[in-house]
Amino acid sequence: MSIQLSDHFTYRKLSAFVLPTIAMMVLTSVYTMVDALFISHYAGKIALAAVNFVFPVIMLLGGLGFMFGTGGTALVAKTFGQGDSARAKRYFTQIILLAWLMGCAMAGPGIVFLPEVCHLLGGTDELIPDAVLYGRIMLGFLPCCILQCSFQALVVAAEKPKMAFWLSVAGGVTNIVLDFLFIVVFGWGLAGAALATGLSQAVAGLVPVVYLCLPNNSLLRFARTKLEFRPMIQACSNGASELVTGISAAFIGMLYNYRLLQYYGEHGVAAYGVVMYVAFLFSAIIFGYDMGSNPLFAYNHGAENHAELQNLFRKSLVLISGGGFILCVAAISLSYPLAYLFVGYNTALTELAQYAFCVFSVYFLLHGYNIFASGLFTAMNNGFISAVIAFSRTFLFQAAAVLILPLLFGADGVWWSAAVSEMLALVVSIVLVLRYRQQYGYL
């Protein structure tokens, strides 16, 4: 089925357009889970805890890729909707160049100061050496990571969602094969896991560069350009919510680790890591839908096609509601098998992870609405409101919940923090979506 941004979308056509992006995000999370399984079973629970401990720092810097990707996609798709393909190609080229340069600029300081950051975050003497080893190798591939995240969104605006999917497949297969080779065969442990992940990011981030430099039938190609400050600031502003999400997730992850070390020690950090790997898998479905539908909303916003905006909005709410319910039920039903899969070698850790899965089921029921609301305003090129929603759900309410709920309910309060924060953020999302409905015409 040939699908263009300018089409009228039925449920069937909308599902067909976003499905490759959803599959791409799900596969990315599956590969991350496989990475964790190799680490857990071949390097041990301390190594797994070390990865979970340092991963928020990597997320903090990697969030720049999603900022360039989603913010740039909204700008490029809107420009296509306005009928100016030449300008869209110039914007695309500038976004990719900025993404690469930013990755290079952030990698060096991150590698140098990582030990100090780990000490500042309260890492134990047992965790820090492994955390620094893994983190420094990963940060060495940061420019490729940011390119990969940028291309995952931007190629959808080029009406190439299947290309994003196959890039994910290529990167994921590379990761799994190299995990087995480096960890199991060569015995390189945590360093092998980090190197395998970094090389997979290089494949997914650099292959599109080669493809777009060659003659092809894509809507987007690299073009001769110079830096245009205003549209690049607009693109970064559009993607501010994704950067806020990345930064907030990093700090909240650090806060969770700090709290869990207080209540459970390294077991708590390991259990939280297991839950986050699965949460990433489940949330990938919603994020994939948001990333896949974002160019459609942006294009029709640029074309001022309010009827199609309303059509996409209604259908999106139906699909997200159904998806949230299914994810909630799945989280409860699969809590024990998933916990056992990761840490079945330790009974206490398995029971703790299973309990955490069940609590997080409420989070899966609610978070789709907030992700969609934030993505909607990104597509409308209103990065500020998108960032307000993202900041509310990923930092403001979660930080308050993680700090306050354990004081009231003990260790259980840590696990309930995510669900409570999503409930509060949903109120913010509803108010803002209703507030701007006439201005943008999506409702």
Side-chain angles (χ1 to χ4, degrees):
M1 180 188 300
S2 177
I3 303 177
Q4 297 180 322
L5 299 179
S6 57
D7 289 350
H8 170 70
F9 283 84
T10 61
Y11 279 110
R12 180 172 177 267
K13 184 174 287 189
L14 177 58
S15 300
F17 187 81
V18 301
L19 187 59
T21 311
I22 293 174
M24 173 197 70
M25 293 299 292
V26 169
L27 283 173
T28 300
S29 62
V30 168
Y31 302 144
T32 304
M33 288 176 62
V34 171
D35 205 43
L37 285 170
F38 273 107
I39 294 170
S40 179
H41 287 279
Y42 290 96
K45 65 181 183 181
I46 297 300
L48 179 63
V51 172
N52 298 333
F53 180 78
V54 77
F55 199 71
V57 179
I58 300 168
M59 286 178 57
L60 176 65
L61 300 178
L64 292 168
F66 288 105
M67 177 189 75
F68 286 116
T70 56
T73 297
L75 176 63
V76 169
K78 178 184 176 182
T79 307
F80 272 130
Q82 294 170 338
D84 194 341
S85 61
R87 184 157 52 97
K89 292 173 184 176
R90 292 203 312 272
Y91 290 166
F92 167 73
T93 304
Q94 293 173 55
I95 290 165
I96 295 301
L97 286 173
L98 283 175
W100 174 259
L101 293 174
M102 186 65 71
C104 294
M106 298 298 292
I111 292 171
V112 172
F113 295 108
L114 187 59
E116 287 76 12
V117 172
C118 290
H119 281 288
L120 184 64
L121 296 175
T124 64
D125 292 338
E126 194 172 14
L127 284 180
I128 287 179
D130 281 347
V132 171
L133 172 65
Y134 184 87
R136 279 180 163 170
I137 296 173
M138 289 292 292
L139 289 173
F141 289 94
L142 182 63
C144 296
C145 174
I146 291 179
L147 277 186
Q148 177 187 13
C149 295
S150 301
F151 278 122
Q152 283 178 341
L154 283 163
V155 295
V156 179
E159 298 177 351
K160 294 280 187 181
K162 291 182 180 179
M163 179 182 175
F165 169 76
W166 287 113
L167 285 172
S168 179
V169 171
V173 170
T174 301
N175 192 11
I176 293 174
V177 172
L178 293 182
D179 267 337
F180 178 79
L181 186 64
F182 293 164
I183 300 174
V184 181
V185 178
F186 294 165
W188 291 352
L190 207 54
L195 186 58
T197 301
L199 290 173
S200 72
Q201 291 171 347
V203 169
L206 297 179
V207 167
V209 174
V210 176
Y211 172 78
L212 292 169
C213 286
L214 299 174
N216 61 77
N217 62 350
S218 171
L219 284 179
L220 289 176
R221 301 185 188 89
F222 292 128
R224 291 186 178 274
T225 187
K226 61 181 180 179
L227 182 61
E228 299 174 67
F229 286 100
R230 182 173 294 179
M232 290 305 99
I233 292 173
Q234 183 182 352
C236 292
S237 173
N238 292 344
S241 61
E242 279 64 33
L243 180 60
V244 167
T245 298
I247 294 174
S248 299
F251 280 111
I252 291 300
M254 297 170 193
L255 191 55
Y256 268 98
N257 288 334
Y258 176 76
R259 276 297 201 193
L260 290 167
L261 280 170
Q262 291 179 319
Y263 286 103
Y264 300 105
E266 283 82 4
H267 269 207
V269 177
Y272 176 67
V274 172
V275 173
M276 286 300 98
Y277 284 121
V278 178
F280 183 38
L281 172 62
F282 283 16
S283 298
I285 298 173
I286 304 298
F287 278 113
Y289 180 86
D290 180 56
M291 187 182 296
S293 62
N294 181 289
L296 303 178
F297 281 98
Y299 180 91
N300 285 285
H301 172 55
E304 298 184 0
N305 188 347
H306 295 157
E308 187 58 25
L309 280 176
Q310 293 168 15
N311 170 59
L312 290 168
F313 183 87
R314 290 192 301 268
K315 287 179 169 58
S316 294
L317 285 184
V318 171
L319 293 173
I320 288 171
S321 298
F325 177 77
I326 293 171
L327 292 176
C328 178
V329 173
I332 297 173
S333 304
L334 299 174
S335 59
Y336 179 76
L338 288 170
Y340 186 83
L341 178 66
F342 280 91
V343 290
Y345 52 81
N346 188 300
T347 302
L349 191 51
T350 302
E351 292 175 353
L352 181 60
Q354 180 187 10
Y355 174 74
F357 279 134
C358 292
V359 173
F360 261 75
S361 63
V362 181
Y363 166 84
F364 297 128
L365 187 65
L366 299 170
H367 79 308
Y369 298 111
N370 295 318
I371 292 171
F372 171 70
S374 178
L376 175 67
F377 286 107
T378 297
M380 298 298 103
N381 282 255
N382 190 332
F384 176 75
I385 298 301
S386 178
V388 167
I389 296 174
F391 179 78
S392 298
R393 66 173 291 267
T394 60
F395 186 81
L396 179 63
F397 294 136
Q398 279 214 59
V402 174
L403 292 173
I404 295 172
L405 292 183
L407 300 178
L408 302 175
F409 304 107
D412 284 353
V414 182
W415 301 120
W416 279 102
S417 298
V420 170
S421 67
E422 289 295 338
M423 293 178 192
L424 296 173
L426 183 58
V427 176
V428 175
S429 295
I430 291 173
V431 169
L432 291 174
V433 166
L434 293 177
R435 165 67 177 79
Y436 288 92
R437 67 187 187 279
Q438 292 184 341
Q439 178 175 338
Y440 294 117
Y442 50 72
L443 184 63

